[in-house]
Amino acid sequence: MGTGHYFWALFYFASLCSASLANNAKINFREKEKKVLDQILGAGKYDARIRPSGINGTDGPAVVRVNIFVRSISKIDDVTMEYSVQLTFREQWTDERLKFDDIQGRLKYLTLTEANRVWMPDLFFSNEKEGHFHNIIMPNVYIRIFPNGSVLYSIRISLTLACPMNLKLYPLDRQICSLRMASYGWTTNDLVFLWKEGDPVQVVKNLHLPRFTLEKFLTDYCNSKTNTGEYSCLKVDLLFKREFSYYLIQIYIPCCMLVIVSWVSFWLDQGAVPARVSLGVTTLLTMATQTSGINASLPPVSYTKAIDVWTGVCLTFVFGALLEFALVNYASRSGLNKPNRAADMHKENLKKKRRDLEQASLDAASDLLDTDSNATFAMKPLVRHPGDPMAMEKLRQCEVHMQPPKRPNCCKTWLSKFPTSWLDIQCSRSKRIDVISRITFPLVFALFNLVYWSTYLFREEEDE
């Protein structure tokens, strides 16, 4: 019995010891994080004002590798030449003073939320106009310290950045907006920024912009030299292509419709003065309003844009249609419609020829009829003598007058409406101006479209 009790007592004691050791191990593991933080960041042990050493503990510059994740791009403003972006910004460097024991892999990393407890690179965004951190619900920032002394800093920020634009090809243009990051106080002898190897810039999938498309992005270096030294700099170039469909529907098609509507006055009667004046003035004012609305959404640049060429030419066509009616009205009222001396001579010659033909017809008919002294009429025989030339000539005249009239030719009738000679123009100057305008205006506008689109589309391909 004594041996049995001894065995059970020993088993109970061993169970208590194992449970106590397990609990102590668990508690010690959790407390180890605090001890490690106190050990590496305690007072008098770590100074956040001193930068880390270089690679492999050398006295060279501290190397900080950067990568960013673009979460969204909210707007690209042409007037202020800026764009807004929200991104997750990450920096990673090695500080050998922060090395610690990972307890056989149990401590993968330590997490901090106070950035001022460790040394931080003095990076700033050189083309920033406005920016802010995100503090809902908690500040969106963390610092991870790994056992080998590597430090990872991550923060979510929103920035409004400057984006100088060249609008010569607007709205057929492409814009390059940059994101520049540089060191403010540390020169390249103390601090160097490098892009993280692999994929330094990531963009959220299904990025949607209302009037632009993000075609691609490029990473590069932009170190700058000043009087105080050379400073390390990184940049990301975002290439945006403007969506042309919006401008085609809102600007180009309405302008074409206004120009075509202004041509309707060419088909109205020249006496319809109120209708033609109202049509011309209305289209002109509408085109001017359209141009003003377009310029209001753009900055007042000193060079000519592609949209300025389009609206300017369309406005010129509409104004030309109004001037055309003024010319037609003036021609119909000022005596230009009266025939000149040459036209009078031409008409007199036509009348003289017509009288001669009528007289010849009457003479031929009178030769066929003979009147005797008793006022009786006798029909001369229509017998052609072989040697009588007068009889043959009279017969030919009769045949000419007895031929049936020819049917009018539709093509000749339509062509007769167009001016074929200077005399015809002088006869109906005002109507001829309308006929010429019906053909000239559409042809010139079509030629302008051909030159415009071929020129600017070709220049866009060259820039690309």
Side-chain angles (χ1 to χ4, degrees), residues 206 315 337:
N206 300 324
L315 187 62
N337 220 15

Side-chain angles (χ1 to χ4, degrees), residues 210-268:
R211 290 185 297 173
F212 288 88
T213 300
L214 179 61
E215 287 192 333
K216 60 182 178 180
F217 51 88
L218 303 173
T219 58
D220 200 358
Y221 296 92
C222 54
N223 293 1
S224 60
K225 291 183 179 180
T226 63
N227 294 333
T228 57
E230 182 179 0
Y231 298 90
S232 182
C233 176
L234 304 176
K235 74 172 182 176
V236 184
D237 290 332
L238 304 174
L239 178 60
F240 296 100
K241 179 182 179 182
R242 198 181 299 272
E243 288 290 343
F244 180 69
S245 57
Y246 168 81
Y247 301 93
L248 179 65
I249 297 173
Q250 297 293 329
I251 296 177
Y252 284 91
I253 292 180
C255 289
C256 284
M257 294 174 64
L258 287 174
V259 173
I260 294 173
V261 168
S262 67
W263 298 342
V264 175
S265 62
F266 303 153
W267 301 88
L268 298 179

Side-chain angles (χ1 to χ4, degrees), residues 289-388:
T289 305
Q290 181 84 350
T291 304
S292 300
I294 296 170
N295 293 329
S297 61
L298 294 174
V301 295
S302 59
Y303 48 82
T304 302
K305 303 179 289 293
I307 195 66
D308 295 334
V309 176
W310 176 263
T311 55
V313 172
C314 290
L315 187 62
T316 303
F317 271 93
V318 174
F319 184 68
L322 185 60
L323 290 183
E324 188 271 347
F325 170 67
L327 181 61
V328 168
N329 191 37
Y330 176 77
S332 62
R333 292 185 299 102
S334 62
L336 291 176
N337 220 15
K338 296 180 180 181
N340 54 13
R341 187 173 181 181
D344 293 338
M345 294 178 62
H346 180 68
K347 286 187 175 182
E348 290 297 331
N349 292 333
L350 292 177
K351 290 180 180 180
K352 185 176 180 181
K353 290 181 180 180
R354 189 179 297 108
R355 286 196 299 267
D356 293 341
L357 291 176
E358 292 177 355
Q359 185 65 32
S361 300
L362 294 175
D363 292 343
S366 62
D367 290 340
L368 297 177
L369 301 175
D370 189 9
T371 308
D372 54 4
S373 59
N374 295 327
T376 59
F377 298 92
M379 180 69 69
K380 288 187 177 182
L382 293 175
V383 179
R384 179 172 63 86
H385 301 283
D388 191 0

Side-chain angles (χ1 to χ4, degrees), residues 402-417:
M402 293 175 65
Q403 290 180 354
K406 297 182 179 180
R407 294 183 179 180
N409 194 338
C410 297
C411 295
K412 291 182 179 180
T413 304
W414 182 76
L415 290 174
S416 65
K417 297 180 181 180

Side-chain angles (χ1 to χ4, degrees), residues 385-428:
H385 301 283
D388 191 0
M390 293 299 295
M392 295 178 63
E393 182 65 23
K394 292 177 182 180
L395 181 60
R396 187 180 299 110
Q397 292 179 359
C398 291
E399 291 176 355
V400 169
H401 287 281
M402 293 175 65
Q403 290 180 354
K406 297 182 179 180
R407 294 183 179 180
N409 194 338
C410 297
C411 295
K412 291 182 179 180
T413 304
W414 182 76
L415 290 174
S416 65
K417 297 180 181 180
F418 297 92
T420 55
S421 65
W422 176 252
L423 296 176
D424 294 335
I425 296 176
Q426 294 295 333
C427 293
S428 183

